[in-house]
Amino acid sequence: MDIAVLLFTMFFCFFIGVPIAYSLALAAIAGCLWIGIPLEAVMLKISDGVSKVAMLTIPFFVLAGAIMAEGGMARRMVAFADVLVGFTRVRGGLSVVNASVQALLVPPSHNAVIYSLATGGTISIISLFMAGVVPGLLLGFSIMVLCLVIAYRDGHPRGTAVPLREAVKITIDAAWGLITLVIILGGILGGVFTAIEAGAVACVWAFFVTMFIYRDYKWRDLPALVHRTLRTVAMVMTLIACASSVGYVMALTQMPAKITAFFLTISSNKYVILFLINMLLLILGTLVDMAPSILICTPILLPVMINFGVDPVHFGMIMMLNLGIGLCHPPVGAILFVGCAVGKVTIEQVMRKIWPFYAVMFAVLMLVTYIPALSLWLPALVIK
């Protein structure tokens, strides 16, 4: 009954439109009142949830991303990709350049940071960054192949080769942005700095390139950029803090153990359980945004997966890929709605054409789920 009270409060608050962070906090309070735990325990867990040093990774990477997006660095890297596609003269080059779902997996993914925090910091951010490389590349390559098949089937226009002088200029401009990735990954893998320090260095580098090399961004616009970044970080931090309190109450109610027992009544086969978890996460991903889903599901499902012998890093990749697919499907479908707005098309028009993409992403999900080496090979190789 204690679990029912917790879940009913949470989903009822979701249903009536209470913000997700407050829904989680109210569910934790309701659970504490039901099982007789002092409310001070909830307050302490909310505070503890954002007091970890690893939390600094989030504001640094969010700020670095904002500077790169608004300062012209991201635009120049897309232009560089367009140059490469133009030289190959392939059809549907724009869709190949924008096979963007894999960005949820490849480093530096803030979703990996959130998953690490949701595990209580027991899984290193660097391990998750490395684990996302191969699944992210596999997903990107698979979607690119599908885009090319559709482009040649439907006769999409070929890419236009960029004149050599302009191509050289675009390449030089984009190189400054590509160096950012070298700094982040090279610094982490080389042991020069931690993930937190990599985020800070990325901020400094992105700021230097934007303001002193590109000089597209106006100094007077910086306060607005910082304000938007702080709002984003505050929302994420509030969500993480409230999710920590819910995870604490879930542990007190022994929810993970009871869910493990429930799955064992269905099957003791690890591969069957993995398939059922995939279906659960796919459905959840269509209903709840990605960050809240990670924070809610990790404390519940991670102990279950560990009991079935699934590596926590591997499960992190499974969860992020599932929830990423959910972002492309209504009713939440943040990526779907943004894509429709940019392309000036209706949801109905897109849904009629998107099913092959779902099929490809599901196929990659099955590969990542049932071939753990895709996620675990690189971390084992580079992290001694």
Side-chain angles (χ1 to χ4, degrees):
M1 186 62 182
D2 44 5
I3 295 177
V5 170
L6 182 69
L7 295 179
F8 174 80
T9 304
M10 183 190 305
F11 287 106
F12 177 76
C13 291
F14 289 167
F15 179 75
I16 64 176
V18 177
I20 291 177
Y22 301 146
S23 298
L24 297 177
L26 290 172
I29 291 171
C32 278
L33 292 175
W34 181 262
I35 63 179
I37 300 296
L39 291 180
E40 288 84 353
V42 176
M43 301 301 109
L44 287 173
K45 283 299 174 182
I46 288 176
S47 175
D48 290 345
V50 290
S51 62
K52 301 177 180 67
V53 176
M55 295 290 292
L56 290 171
T57 312
I58 294 177
F60 284 140
F61 278 120
V62 171
L63 180 58
I67 295 173
M68 292 175 69
E70 298 190 25
M73 193 179 291
R75 173 170 50 81
R76 286 172 168 86
M77 286 193 284
V78 171
F80 173 66
D82 194 37
V83 167
L84 298 180
V85 172
F87 276 130
T88 59
R89 300 280 296 166
V90 299
R91 295 187 183 274
L94 180 61
S95 62
V96 172
V97 172
N98 196 39
S100 58
V101 182
Q102 76 275 6
L104 301 170
L105 297 173
V106 296
S109 167
H110 72 277
N111 298 296
V113 176
I114 293 174
Y115 175 76
S116 174
L117 295 171
T119 65
T122 58
I123 310 301
S124 76
I125 296 173
I126 296 175
S127 296
L128 293 168
F129 277 2
M130 294 300 100
V133 172
V134 175
L137 292 176
L138 177 62
L139 179 62
F141 176 77
S142 302
I143 295 176
M144 288 169 64
V145 170
L146 176 61
C147 289
L148 290 173
V149 169
I150 294 174
Y152 279 89
R153 183 196 67 188
D154 297 344
H156 293 181
R158 293 183 181 274
T160 303
V162 179
L164 181 60
R165 180 174 297 180
E166 185 179 350
V168 171
K169 181 180 182 302
I170 291 174
T171 302
I172 294 173
D173 280 349
W176 297 103
L178 296 174
I179 289 174
T180 308
L181 301 178
V182 175
I183 291 173
I184 294 172
L185 296 181
I188 291 175
L189 296 180
V192 179
F193 36 66
T194 65
I196 299 173
E197 294 163 347
V201 172
C203 285
V204 174
W205 176 256
F207 176 80
F208 170 75
V209 172
T210 297
M211 304 309 297
F212 297 100
I213 296 179
Y214 292 157
R215 290 183 289 184
D216 290 347
Y217 207 72
K218 297 179 174 59
W219 287 88
R220 65 172 180 269
D221 294 332
L222 277 177
L225 183 148
V226 173
H227 178 258
R228 288 190 294 272
T229 301
L230 289 175
R231 288 189 61 183
T232 301
V233 171
M235 288 188 289
V236 173
M237 293 293 193
T238 303
L239 192 59
I240 292 173
C242 295
S244 298
S245 65
V246 170
Y248 169 70
V249 178
M250 287 176 177
L252 292 178
T253 61
Q254 298 182 330
M255 184 183 292
K258 293 175 181 176
I259 291 178
T260 302
F262 168 74
F263 278 116
L264 283 172
T265 62
I266 301 174
S267 174
S268 59
N269 188 306
K270 178 176 75 172
Y271 301 105
V272 174
I273 299 302
L274 278 169
F275 185 80
L276 294 175
I277 293 293
N278 274 322
M279 296 303 102
L280 175 65
L281 290 173
L282 280 173
I283 294 171
L284 184 67
T286 66
L287 301 174
V288 184
D289 207 356
M290 191 164 185
S293 296
I294 293 173
L295 293 168
I296 294 169
C297 293
T298 300
I300 302 173
L301 297 179
L302 182 59
V304 177
M305 291 290 94
I306 292 175
N307 287 336
F308 280 98
V310 178
D311 188 280
V313 174
H314 179 210
F315 179 61
M317 296 303 106
I318 294 172
M319 175 179 285
M320 286 191 285
L321 184 49
N322 269 293
L323 300 177
I325 295 173
L327 292 177
C328 303
H329 193 285
V332 174
I335 292 177
L336 178 64
F337 289 114
V338 171
C340 290
V342 172
K344 295 181 175 58
V345 293
T346 66
I347 298 291
E348 292 77 12
Q349 289 174 307
V350 172
M351 290 303 297
R352 285 195 291 268
K353 301 287 188 179
I354 203 173
W355 296 104
F357 291 89
Y358 288 148
V360 168
M361 289 189 286
F362 184 79
V364 173
L365 172 62
M366 292 296 101
L367 291 175
V368 172
T369 298
Y370 293 114
I371 307 178
L374 292 175
S375 302
L376 302 178
W377 169 73
L378 193 56
L381 182 67
V382 301
I383 301 174
K384 305 296 184 183

